[in-house]
Amino acid sequence: MMLIPDAEHDDLHLGERPLIVCDIDEVVLEFVTPFAAFLSHNGHELRANSFRLHGNIFELEAGAETPADEVSRLLELFFESQDEWQTPVVSAADSLARLSGQADIVFLTAMPPHHRKVRRKLLSSHGFDYPMIATEAPKGPAVLALHGARPHPVVFVDDIFVNLQSVRTHVPQTLLLNLMANEKFRALAPHPGEGVDIVTDWTHAETLIAAHFDASAR
Ligand SMILES: [Mg+2]
């Protein structure tokens, strides 16, 4: 298996069957909701004014915008202690367990790779026993390195349109699904662009993925 540049990952052995590459934050683990709780625990507040973190975080007491370097520090602390905060997205574990009967599943997370260990443990504790790649490099080249020229169907699930479009550019035959757990921020999200299906939850995603596999097998 080809190595993904600038990534830390588990052993990757793909079978001769479809592949589902799946983001983690906001897709299989809640991110926005627990991060907001973490912020308020630390004297800050996340306001849903626009589709970003920086600029939307304020000091609870003073009401002033939290400086960018402090936001970055808080994010780093959150990822360090993510196992105390992050919970699974509804139905993600059940849907992926059913789909894993038909397809290989690989997690591709943009989280800084040095938090890989704590995330790996957290995922496994919730039944997400699929290999994980942690990289801050663009996702399109990573999916290409993983899937290459294999003839099998490939699916990519993510909440961020830049990631979806990166995969669309590098592996154009991919079924692209835009899934975001947090409803407030989902409502503020930019349109994911051409060639991407927006799904409301994992039940919806599972239906589209199963239909895609059926159509590809015909
Ligand atoms: Mg995400």
Side-chain angles (χ1 to χ4, degrees):
M1 179 60 55
M2 186 186 279
L3 287 177
I4 316 286
D6 304 318
E8 286 198 26
H9 56 79
D10 301 320
D11 279 348
L12 296 165
H13 302 284
L14 300 185
E16 292 303 321
R17 57 184 197 154
L19 171 65
I20 300 170
V21 181
C22 191
D23 177 38
I24 293 178
D25 289 305
E26 281 301 313
V27 175
V28 300
L29 293 178
E30 297 273 353
F31 170 78
V32 173
T33 306
F35 185 56
F38 169 87
L39 287 173
S40 85
H41 183 78
N42 285 280
H44 299 263
E45 171 190 21
L46 176 64
R47 299 183 193 161
N49 292 330
S50 61
F51 192 70
R52 55 206 291 271
L53 295 176
H54 286 272
N56 283 327
I57 296 172
F58 295 84
E59 290 163 7
L60 270 177
E61 228 159 75
E65 188 185 318
T66 306
D69 56 347
E70 176 65 2
V71 172
S72 302
R73 195 186 69 88
L74 287 162
L75 255 178
E76 181 68 19
L77 282 175
F78 175 74
F79 280 132
E80 254 170 45
S81 60
Q82 58 184 277
D83 51 334
E84 296 165 32
W85 297 94
Q86 290 192 273
T87 54
V89 168
V90 171
S91 299
D94 289 345
S95 281
L96 286 175
R98 280 187 293 267
L99 290 165
S100 70
Q102 265 186 289
D104 286 317
I105 293 163
V106 174
F107 289 134
L108 179 58
T109 180
M111 179 195 66
H114 61 273
H115 298 301
R116 204 180 73 84
K117 252 192 197 155
V118 58
R119 170 148 290 184
R120 177 70 270 166
K121 239 179 108 186
L122 170 61
L123 288 168
S124 296
S125 76
H126 290 294
F128 295 114
D129 284 313
Y130 313 105
M132 178 182 69
I133 303 166
T135 177
E136 291 176 292
K139 291 198 174 182
V143 174
L144 182 61
L146 200 58
H147 189 63
R150 291 161 14 105
H152 311 293
V154 54
V155 179
F156 178 67
V157 191
D158 203 292
D159 57 318
I160 303 293
F161 80 102
V162 171
N163 297 335
L164 290 156
Q165 291 300 328
S166 173
V167 172
R168 184 169 183 247
T169 300
H170 289 87
V171 192
Q173 74 274 29
T174 307
L175 173 70
L176 299 166
L177 301 181
N178 180 205
L179 189 154
M180 178 160 206
N182 186 274
E183 281 179 38
K184 268 190 204 160
F185 275 81
R186 191 202 306 156
L188 296 167
H191 191 274
E194 287 259 312
V196 178
D197 286 309
I198 301 172
V199 294
T200 47
D201 55 27
W202 266 102
T203 307
H204 188 188
E206 187 181 348
T207 305
L208 294 192
I209 293 169
H212 182 68
F213 290 167
D214 279 353
S216 307
R218 258 182 234 131

